[in-house]
Amino acid sequence: MVHTPRSARRGALLVSTAAVLGLLAGCGNGSGEDVRSDPPAGSAGTAAPARETPSPSAPAPATSSAPARTASPAPPRTTAPPGGTTAAPATPAGGSRCHTSELRASVGRNDPGAGQENFPVVLTNTSGRTCTLRGYPGAAFVDASGGRLGADSRRTPGTPVTVTVRPGQSAWAGLTFSNPEVSGARSATPAGLLVTPPDERDPLRAAWPGGPVPVSGTASSARLTVLSPGTGP
């Protein structure tokens, strides 16, 4: 058996390998182009960043074409007191008119001037309630037996006002006449003065402190003013 040196065998192996490689290069695609194959789909690499899927836009709120309604104000409530009844309106502070039985008549002090005699005729509330007086009282001189002296009193023009008189308070009207010694009228001295409150039929009697009064002839009529608060000017 022939022993082949190791170096010779290594060289033969290299020659064979080179020959095979040459054959493979010659068996290309025949066009001389370098054919490159794509990397396998499952090969490792850097993944492209994921794209965020845009969310669908929210639909715009529907707009109603109907006009907006205006709420009507609620009617005011009426609260009934306990028991289910409605309270009656309060009575005015002035109350109703004064009646003859609730009053006292008197004559104040004379305030003479220019041939005239001027006396305040006073009506005082003697009741326990507040009442009102308005307008003119009536006044007539009487003798001791109650007979009338002279003509009825006349009214001096004026604007009536409502006078509220609480218990113990008063209203007054002016009684004026010409001094009979100055006017020359026939005179008499009354025993009293009858005073009728406004809108009443029954008179009150007051003592007369004023001396002679005209009862007939020239300037024999007495005159009265509207009632005012108090007991005199």
Side-chain angles (χ1 to χ4, degrees), residues 101-212:
S101 60
E102 299 173 311
L103 301 169
R104 180 183 71 247
S106 60
V107 179
R109 188 176 59 182
N110 184 22
D111 182 21
Q116 300 291 312
E117 311 299 326
N118 305 292
F119 292 87
V121 177
V122 181
L123 293 172
T124 302
N125 183 1
T126 59
S127 72
R129 74 180 186 95
T130 298
C131 57
T132 60
L133 294 167
R134 179 183 177 86
Y136 296 84
F141 297 111
V142 292
D143 58 21
S145 61
R148 297 282 296 269
L149 297 173
D152 291 338
S153 300
R154 297 181 179 180
R155 294 180 176 182
T156 301
T159 302
V161 295
T162 299
V163 181
T164 299
V165 283
R166 295 181 174 86
Q169 292 184 337
S170 303
W172 70 279
L175 176 66
T176 301
F177 55 87
S178 298
N179 187 314
E181 294 181 0
V182 174
S183 65
R186 189 170 69 88
S187 66
T189 300
L193 179 71
L194 295 182
V195 181
T196 305
D199 301 316
E200 292 290 304
R201 299 178 64 88
D202 298 327
L204 297 164
R205 180 164 176 156
W208 178 251

Side-chain angles (χ1 to χ4, degrees), residues 9-110:
R9 284 182 292 171
R10 180 177 301 173
L13 180 59
L14 291 173
V15 171
S16 300
T17 302
V20 172
L21 292 174
L23 290 174
L24 291 175
C27 294
N29 57 2
S31 61
E33 295 180 359
D34 186 12
V35 179
R36 297 181 182 180
S37 60
D38 294 333
S43 61
T46 302
R51 295 181 180 177
E52 182 178 357
T53 304
S55 59
S57 302
T63 303
S64 174
S65 60
R69 292 184 178 179
T70 303
S72 300
R77 288 185 174 183
T78 302
T79 304
T85 58
T86 304
T91 303
S96 60
R97 67 182 175 87
C98 301
H99 300 291
T100 301
S101 60
E102 299 173 311
L103 301 169
R104 180 183 71 247
S106 60
V107 179
R109 188 176 59 182
N110 184 22

